Amino acid sequence: MKEFQLIEHYFHRQNQQRRDVKLGIGDDCALVQVPENKSLAISCDTLVEGVHFFADMPARELGYKSLAVNLSDLAAMGAEPAWMTLALTLPEVNQTWLQGFSEGLFEAADYYGVSLIGGDTTRGPLSINITIHGLVPNDTALKRSGAKVGDWIYVTGTLGDSALGLNILAGKVQVDADNKDYLIGRHYRPTPRVLAGQSLRSLASSAIDLSDGLMSDLGHILKASEVGAIIDVGSIPQSEAMTSSVSQDDALSYGLTGGEDYELLFTVPESQRGALDTALLHAGVKFSKIGQISAGRELKLLLDGQAFIPNFSGFEHF
Amino acid sequence: MKEFQLIEHYFHRQNQQRRDVKLGIGDDCALVQVPENKSLAISCDTLVEGVHFFADMPARELGYKSLAVNLSDLAAMGAEPAWMTLALTLPEVNQTWLQGFSEGLFEAADYYGVSLIGGDTTRGPLSINITIHGLVPNDTALKRSGAKVGDWIYVTGTLGDSALGLNILAGKVQVDADNKDYLIGRHYRPTPRVLAGQSLRSLASSAIDLSDGLMSDLGHILKASEVGAIIDVGSIPQSEAMTSSVSQDDALSYGLTGGEDYELLFTVPESQRGALDTALLHAGVKFSKIGQISAGRELKLLLDGQAFIPNFSGFEHF
């Protein structure tokens, strides 16, 4: 099967494009329109077999997740999703796999309103690269650099579930059947907080999505904002599946260091706390206050007033 | 070395960004501005070791070429280059390699006015994916679909050199030292016809860049435009290095089927031929008329009035 036929068959959906796509897949470039009053937010992420996912990950879940992790970057900027390009490197043409992958990808694309506007398929070890494009009103994008001393630190959802799900898949942890399904689901199908991110535009002083783990990602905010933080480890939100599956110490460590939750971490000044409650209620997202920005450059972890040291550390490429 | 430190060290050049980049590498997304009267052109290409390049390709050349092949897609739309994201998958952190690769990449980026605005570095088999972004005045982009019966068919530069250069690298062909350097240079350092593409905006009825080979890429224009073509094989431009290195039959076959020339193929109505001469003279690019668009859907190759069949066929993934 020829490369372009392959792409066309599984990924070409001419009739389901956004109106701002003037030219989609099939020419040398796609052509899109950006409204005058909006900035374009761009990010890219690669998933490599054996590094980011196991070889037996279901194709449909992989398609879904490949887009979801990119949407999470848009969420962290407060941008609305618009378009993506897909670079797919495949060891072989496996029709069943392609069918499942494209279904999962378009399930997420349709839900979040994203058009696939271009791509490239090459032969090689399996990897998926998506470059995502979103729109955000000029001068309203959330950045990592705006946190101020005294701002409160929040996260959406519950933390650590994805890392525990990964350990279950790797056979390192055993849990009961219901919790297993839930936790693996959290690992396979993260829920990018796209609406929550847009709701935070005029409220949050800084934001980031949790891909590497709370400590690591909070570190990025602290570095970019030139501040420190105190985290009340006991207030880090945990799922019931987490608390009923592992020890309290392990649960706290998963919450602090587990990667790939794709929840939002953000800071809000005291003056905006009331508005925050209203805004995120409308977005239908659970959120929790877990600490406060402090002077200096240190990240302090406290549990019941005592310094806390996690059992294990976060994930790092290389 | 940590992933972000790696990216920062070799790829973070905060002081050399375009003015339309509001936020570059270092946050969840980059933020850029698109002028109101312009469309955004987007394309992506992946280069995989062992598929698109040999393991011993010099890192600097690979960096240059990775961007050049993407710029060629912008050229084919008549777009001016603006920004790129880079997804780099590396088997290991090799500082010498990274230094060379980034130097080659930025050599091309600086020459063509492109800012690197985001990226992702992961561990895995070596591959390079670039998503390129360019700007083109609304409703002036060159497409594959506009060729009309009677339009003349042109190409820039000389054809087949890159494929011959590849065969020299593969040890399949021997040529003398000067020609070897020239032909390998054409393979390693294609010259995306960015200025020529912009000059063609109001003149050409269709355009494409030559990545898969003349016959294959012309086929895309014919399909998109629903027309046929007659090519005068004897008028396909050849370099002196080509004609002095291989038989005339082989030279013609390289010109018809050799991939990766990254020259432009375009069609021009009779009424625009005078304007074309003036426009491309200003762009400083050699160009040659090689045939004419015909009714029907057939591609006819003629040499001295007789049907011509090339010695070998083009490249195809999968």
Side-chain angles (χ1 to χ4, degrees):
Chain A
M1 181 176 247
K2 292 187 177 184
E3 180 192 5
F4 4 94
Q5 287 172 343
L6 179 80
I7 295 173
E8 278 199 8
H9 182 68
Y10 291 101
F11 298 107
H12 198 174
R13 304 193 310 168
Q14 198 65 65
N15 300 328
Q16 289 164 67
Q17 293 283 22
R18 293 163 56 95
R19 286 192 188 174
D20 51 15
V21 177
K22 300 302 171 192
L23 190 65
I25 290 177
D27 214 301
D28 292 289
C29 295
L31 291 171
V32 296
Q33 293 295 133
V34 175
E36 183 187 5
N37 58 342
K38 298 206 174 162
S39 296
L40 179 64
I42 304 174
S43 180
C44 72
D45 261 309
T46 307
L47 302 184
V48 179
E49 181 180 285
V51 179
H52 300 92
F53 59 91
F54 295 122
D56 64 355
M57 180 166 178
R60 190 181 175 105
E61 307 299 299
L62 185 57
Y64 192 96
K65 185 168 181 175
S66 296
L67 180 52
V69 303
N70 276 281
L71 289 170
S72 184
D73 283 314
L74 289 184
M77 302 297 286
E80 54 180 298
W83 321 292
M84 63 169 155
T85 60
L86 168 68
L88 200 53
T89 305
L90 300 171
E92 58 175 354
V93 176
N94 177 330
Q95 308 249 9
T96 310
W97 189 92
L98 277 162
Q99 184 68 35
F101 180 85
S102 60
E103 281 174 10
L105 183 80
F106 284 121
E107 186 188 339
D110 291 344
Y111 185 81
Y112 290 100
V114 178
S115 281
L116 177 65
I117 56 165
D120 188 26
T121 312
T122 49
R123 186 193 283 280
L126 181 58
S127 82
I128 301 115
N129 174 265
I130 288 178
T131 301
I132 190 82
H133 300 76
L135 300 169
V136 56
N138 289 336
D139 304 319
T140 68
L142 303 170
K143 299 175 190 173
R144 298 179 178 179
S145 53
K148 297 277 182 288
V149 175
D151 287 356
W152 298 101
I153 302 169
Y154 290 84
V155 291
T156 58
T158 57
L159 302 195
D161 296 335
S162 177
L164 179 53
L166 177 63
N167 277 347
I168 294 166
L169 284 168
K172 293 181 185 168
V173 180
Q174 268 83 44
V175 305
D176 71 40
D178 280 358
N179 289 335
K180 181 178 168 180
D181 287 349
Y182 176 82
L183 292 162
I184 290 175
R186 290 274 291 165
H187 181 70
Y188 277 164
R189 293 211 166 211
T191 48
R193 300 302 185 182
V194 170
L195 270 183
Q198 292 174 52
S199 304
L200 290 172
R201 270 179 207 153
S202 49
L203 298 173
S205 51
S206 72
I208 191 171
D209 72 318
L210 292 173
S211 55
D212 295 332
L214 175 60
M215 285 177 66
S216 175
D217 291 318
L218 177 55
H220 295 314
I221 288 211
L222 301 186
K223 189 180 172 195
S225 300
E226 302 183 349
V227 292
I230 300 167
I231 296 296
D232 173 19
V233 175
S235 63
I236 294 174
Q238 299 172 343
S239 67
E240 206 184 301
M242 169 72 74
T243 53
S244 62
S245 298
V246 302
S247 72
Q248 177 61 1
D249 249 30
D250 276 1
L252 294 173
S253 298
Y254 275 113
L256 282 166
T257 67
E260 298 207 80
D261 279 320
Y262 298 105
E263 297 292 348
L264 293 183
L265 167 69
F266 55 96
T267 58
V268 174
E270 171 68 26
S271 60
Q272 298 287 4
R273 285 183 63 189
L276 175 72
D277 290 345
T278 311
L280 286 196
L281 193 69
H282 281 99
V285 176
K286 172 186 156 75
F287 62 104
S288 311
K289 182 162 71 67
I290 61 164
Q292 194 170 22
I293 296 295
S294 59
R297 299 293 285 270
E298 207 183 345
L299 170 56
K300 283 187 193 158
L301 306 178
L302 296 181
L303 182 63
D304 302 327
Q306 305 292 315
F308 180 83
I309 299 166
N311 293 350
F312 36 78
S313 61
F315 178 74
E316 192 79 65
H317 295 294
F318 296 111
Chain B
M1 184 179 244
K2 293 188 178 185
E3 181 192 5
F4 3 92
Q5 288 173 342
L6 181 78
I7 295 172
E8 278 199 8
H9 182 68
Y10 291 102
F11 298 108
H12 198 174
R13 304 194 309 168
Q14 198 65 64
N15 300 327
Q16 288 163 71
Q17 293 284 24
R18 292 163 57 95
R19 286 194 187 172
D20 50 16
V21 178
K22 300 302 170 194
L23 190 65
I25 291 176
D27 214 302
D28 291 289
C29 295
L31 291 171
V32 296
Q33 292 296 134
V34 175
E36 183 187 5
N37 58 342
K38 299 208 174 162
S39 295
L40 179 64
I42 305 175
S43 180
C44 72
D45 261 309
T46 307
L47 302 183
V48 179
E49 181 180 284
V51 179
H52 300 91
F53 59 91
F54 294 122
D56 64 355
M57 181 165 176
R60 189 181 175 106
E61 307 300 299
L62 185 58
Y64 192 96
K65 185 169 182 174
S66 298
L67 179 52
V69 303
N70 276 282
L71 289 170
S72 184
D73 284 315
L74 290 184
M77 302 298 285
E80 54 180 297
W83 322 291
M84 64 170 155
T85 59
L86 168 69
L88 200 54
T89 305
L90 299 172
E92 57 173 354
V93 176
N94 177 330
Q95 308 250 7
T96 309
W97 189 92
L98 277 163
Q99 183 68 32
F101 180 86
S102 60
E103 280 174 9
L105 183 80
F106 284 121
E107 186 187 339
D110 292 342
Y111 185 82
Y112 290 100
V114 178
S115 280
L116 176 66
I117 57 166
D120 187 27
T121 312
T122 49
R123 185 193 286 276
L126 181 59
S127 84
I128 301 114
N129 174 265
I130 288 179
T131 301
I132 191 81
H133 301 77
L135 300 169
V136 56
N138 288 336
D139 305 318
T140 69
L142 303 169
K143 299 176 189 172
R144 298 178 178 180
S145 55
K148 297 277 182 287
V149 176
D151 287 355
W152 299 101
I153 302 170
Y154 289 85
V155 293
T156 58
T158 57
L159 303 195
D161 296 335
S162 178
L164 179 52
L166 178 63
N167 277 347
I168 294 167
L169 285 168
K172 293 178 184 169
V173 181
Q174 267 83 43
V175 305
D176 72 37
D178 279 359
N179 289 334
K180 179 178 169 180
D181 286 350
Y182 176 81
L183 293 161
I184 290 175
R186 291 273 289 165
H187 181 70
Y188 278 164
R189 293 213 167 209
T191 49
R193 300 302 186 182
V194 170
L195 270 182
Q198 292 175 52
S199 304
L200 292 172
R201 270 178 207 155
S202 49
L203 300 173
S205 52
S206 72
I208 192 171
D209 71 318
L210 292 172
S211 54
D212 295 333
L214 175 59
M215 287 177 66
S216 174
D217 291 317
L218 177 55
H220 294 314
I221 288 211
L222 301 186
K223 188 179 173 196
S225 300
E226 302 183 349
V227 291
I230 301 167
I231 296 296
D232 172 20
V233 175
S235 63
I236 294 174
Q238 299 171 344
S239 67
E240 207 185 300
M242 169 70 73
T243 54
S244 63
S245 297
V246 301
S247 73
Q248 177 61 2
D249 249 32
D250 275 3
L252 294 173
S253 298
Y254 275 114
L256 283 165
T257 66
E260 298 208 81
D261 279 321
Y262 298 106
E263 297 292 348
L264 292 184
L265 168 68
F266 56 98
T267 59
V268 174
E270 171 68 24
S271 61
Q272 299 287 4
R273 284 183 62 189
L276 175 71
D277 290 344
T278 312
L280 286 196
L281 193 70
H282 281 99
V285 176
K286 171 187 158 77
F287 62 104
S288 311
K289 181 162 73 65
I290 62 164
Q292 193 169 23
I293 297 295
S294 59
R297 301 291 286 268
E298 206 182 345
L299 170 57
K300 284 187 191 157
L301 305 178
L302 296 180
L303 183 62
D304 301 328
Q306 305 291 313
F308 180 84
I309 298 166
N311 293 351
F312 35 78
S313 63
F315 178 76
E316 191 80 64
H317 296 294
F318 295 110

